[in-house]
C-alpha cells in the first residue's frame, strides 16, 4: 500500500520549545499540560463561557479530516480497482485522485497555510464539489458516520451528572483525532452521505438562528454558508473557511492571552503578589512611624 494511503500519525508535542505555544499548536495537540488542548477546553468552558466557539472549530476541523479520509479511501480504490473505475467512465476522476498529492495535516486556519498547502486544500474541495455534482458515485459502500454518528459533531455528546459538557475523549491522549479511521480496514470507510451529514450538522448546531449552540458570526459569513449548503448543495471544507478563520482569530485575540496568563504564567503571580504585600506593609508601617514620631 502506498504511504499516502496510510494514516497520518498524531502530532507529537515539542518538548524542546523555549517559548510559549501558539494557539494553533494548542489546537493541533502539539503541547503538553498545563497548556494542552484539554486545559484550553476547560478554560473556554469554565472561565470564558464560550466553549461553543472552540467546539465549532473542532467540528469543522473534524469535517476536514472526514473529507480527507474519504478521498484517501477513493485513492485506495483507484489503485485497487482502476479497471472497474475506467469501465464506469471515471478515468478522469481517477487521474485527479492519483495526482492530488499528500494532503495537509493537521487542519489549520487558511491564513497560516502557504501557497502549496492552500492549493492542496483547494484541490480537495474542488474534487468534492465535482464528486457531489456527479452524485457521489465513488462513495465506499459502508458508512462510518452512519455507524458512529457521535463522532461527527458535538451536539450528541453525553453530559455528566452535573449537567456539564465533558471534554472530548480525544483531548486526554495523543491518540487519533475524532473521525480519523484506519484506512486499511474495509469496515471503517466513509460514505459520501457522511460528509453531507457532517456539514449539515455543523450548520444546524452552530450557525442557524436559534440553533442549539449558536455562535455569533458576521451575517455575510452566515449567509454564504447557508446558501452554499442549503441551496447549492455544497459540503466541501471551503464552505467553512471564512467562519473557521474568524473563530480562530476571535479565540486568539479574546481568550488565548488569558489562558496563557492563567496556565503558563500563573506560577509567577504568587511571588509578585507577596512582594507587593511586603512593600505595602512596609509603607504602612513607615506612615504610622512618621505620624507618631
Amino acid at each position: 500500500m502506498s504511504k499516502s494511503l496510510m494514516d497520518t500519525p498524531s502530532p507529537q508535542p515539542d518538548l524542546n520549545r523555549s517559548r510559549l505555544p501558539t494557539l494553533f499548536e494548542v489546537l493541533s495537540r502539539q503541547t503538553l499540560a498545563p497548556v494542552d488542548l484539554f486545559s484550553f477546553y476547560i478554560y473556554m468552558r469554565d472561565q470564558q463561557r464560550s466553549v461553543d466557539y472552540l467546539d465549532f472549530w473542532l467540528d469543522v476541523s473534524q469535517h476536514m479530516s472526514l473529507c480527507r479520509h474519504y478521498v484517501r479511501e477513493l485513492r485506495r480504490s483507484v489503485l485497487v480497482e482502476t479497471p472497474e473505475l475506467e469501465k464506469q467512465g471515471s478515468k478522469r476522476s481517477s487521474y485527479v485522485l492519483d495526482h492530488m498529492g499528500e494532503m495537509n495535516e493537521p487542519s489549520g486556519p487558511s491564513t497560516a497555510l502557504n501557497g502549496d498547502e492552500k492549493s492542496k486544500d483547494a484541490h480537495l474541495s474542488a474534487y468534492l464539489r465535482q464528486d457531489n455534482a456527479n452524485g457521489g458515485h465513488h462513495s465506499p459502500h459502508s458508512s462510518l458516520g452512519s455507524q458512529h454518528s457521535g463522532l461527527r459533531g458535538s451536539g450528541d455528546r453525553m453530559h455528566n451528572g452535573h449537567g456539564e459538557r465533558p471534554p472530548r475523549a480525544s483531548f486526554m491522549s495523543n491518540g487519533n483525532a475524532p473521525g480519523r479511521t484506519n484506512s486499511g480496514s474495509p469496515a471503517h470507510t466513509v460514505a459520501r452521505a457522511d460528509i453531507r451529514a457532517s456539514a449539515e450538522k455543523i450548520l444546524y448546531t452552530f450557525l442557524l438562528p436559534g440553533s442549539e449552540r449558536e455562535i455569533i458570526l458576521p451575517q455575510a459569513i452566515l449567509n454564504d454558508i447557508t446558501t452554499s449548503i442549503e441551496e447549492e448543495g455544497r459540503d466541501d471544507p471551503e464552505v467553512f473557511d471564512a467562519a473557521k478563520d474568524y473563530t480562530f482569530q476571535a479565540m486568539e485575540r479574546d481568550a488565548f492571552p488569558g489562558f496563557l496568563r492563567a496556565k503558563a504564567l500563573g506560577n509567577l503571580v504568587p511571588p509578585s503578589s507577596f512582594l507587593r504585600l511586603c512593600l505595602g506593609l512596609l509603607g504602612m508601617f513607615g506612615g504610622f512611624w512618621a505620624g507618631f514620631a
Side-chain angles (χ1 to χ4, degrees):
M1 183 180 296
S2 171
K3 182 179 179 181
S4 63
L5 302 178
M6 301 179 65
D7 288 343
T8 302
S10 299
Q12 297 298 318
D14 182 5
L15 301 180
N16 298 318
R17 186 184 295 111
S18 59
R19 56 171 174 78
L20 292 175
T22 64
L23 176 59
F24 178 62
E25 289 171 340
V26 172
L27 296 177
S28 302
R29 296 181 295 116
Q30 299 176 18
T31 56
L32 298 174
V35 289
D36 57 346
L37 182 54
F38 179 90
S39 300
F40 186 57
Y41 191 96
I42 297 298
Y43 176 82
M44 290 290 288
R45 186 191 68 183
D46 297 343
Q47 303 297 323
Q48 291 292 115
R49 304 292 181 181
S50 55
V51 73
D52 290 345
Y53 288 87
L54 177 55
D55 269 330
F56 170 76
W57 161 275
L58 294 170
D59 282 0
V60 171
S61 298
Q62 181 175 307
H63 178 72
M64 170 66 90
S65 297
L66 194 70
C67 293
R68 288 170 177 156
H69 187 76
Y70 172 77
V71 172
R72 289 191 187 103
E73 287 293 324
L74 292 183
R75 182 181 290 174
R76 187 178 70 157
S77 70
V78 167
L79 295 177
V80 176
E81 302 174 5
T82 299
E84 293 298 324
L85 292 174
E86 291 179 350
K87 290 179 182 178
Q88 297 173 10
S90 302
K91 186 174 182 179
R92 181 173 180 271
S93 297
S94 303
Y95 178 85
V96 172
L97 282 172
D98 197 37
H99 291 76
M100 190 174 291
E102 293 289 342
M103 290 172 286
N104 301 326
E105 193 75 35
S107 175
S110 61
T111 54
L113 302 179
N114 58 37
D116 184 57
E117 291 170 335
K118 289 181 179 179
S119 177
K120 290 177 181 178
D121 281 354
H123 283 131
L124 173 64
S125 292
Y127 178 81
L128 290 174
R129 288 195 296 271
Q130 174 190 339
D131 184 62
N132 192 39
N134 294 335
H137 297 306
H138 300 300
S139 296
H141 294 296
S142 58
S143 168
L144 168 72
S146 60
Q147 298 171 15
H148 304 283
S149 59
L151 293 178
R152 284 199 302 265
S154 55
D156 295 335
R157 285 194 294 272
M158 296 179 61
H159 292 60
N160 60 25
H162 301 286
E164 294 181 343
R165 186 181 303 106
R168 304 180 180 203
S170 61
F171 296 176
M172 302 180 187
S173 66
N174 287 327
N176 288 340
R180 180 176 296 159
T181 59
N182 178 11
S183 61
S185 173
H188 289 172
T189 54
V190 178
R192 191 64 176 82
D194 297 331
I195 297 177
R196 179 68 187 176
S198 173
E200 290 180 342
K201 189 162 190 176
I202 293 172
L203 175 66
Y204 300 147
T205 302
F206 297 101
L207 302 179
L208 290 183
S211 57
E212 177 187 358
R213 304 178 61 191
E214 182 181 1
I215 61 176
I216 306 302
L217 296 175
Q219 192 61 43
I221 295 178
L222 294 176
N223 291 341
D224 288 344
I225 295 175
T226 303
T227 300
S228 297
I229 295 178
E230 295 193 328
E231 298 181 15
E232 300 175 8
R234 290 178 57 185
D235 52 21
D236 54 279
E238 275 188 2
V239 170
F240 300 106
D241 272 356
K244 186 179 180 184
D245 290 346
Y246 181 90
T247 302
F248 180 89
Q249 292 167 7
M251 291 191 296
E252 188 176 44
R253 179 185 63 248
D254 301 332
F256 193 62
F259 170 71
L260 289 180
R261 285 194 297 269
K263 299 297 181 179
L265 304 178
N267 59 337
L268 302 180
V269 174
S272 60
S273 298
F274 180 75
L275 178 60
R276 289 195 298 268
L277 176 62
C278 292
L279 292 176
L281 291 175
L282 183 61
M284 184 178 64
F285 176 78
F288 278 118
W289 180 81
F292 287 100

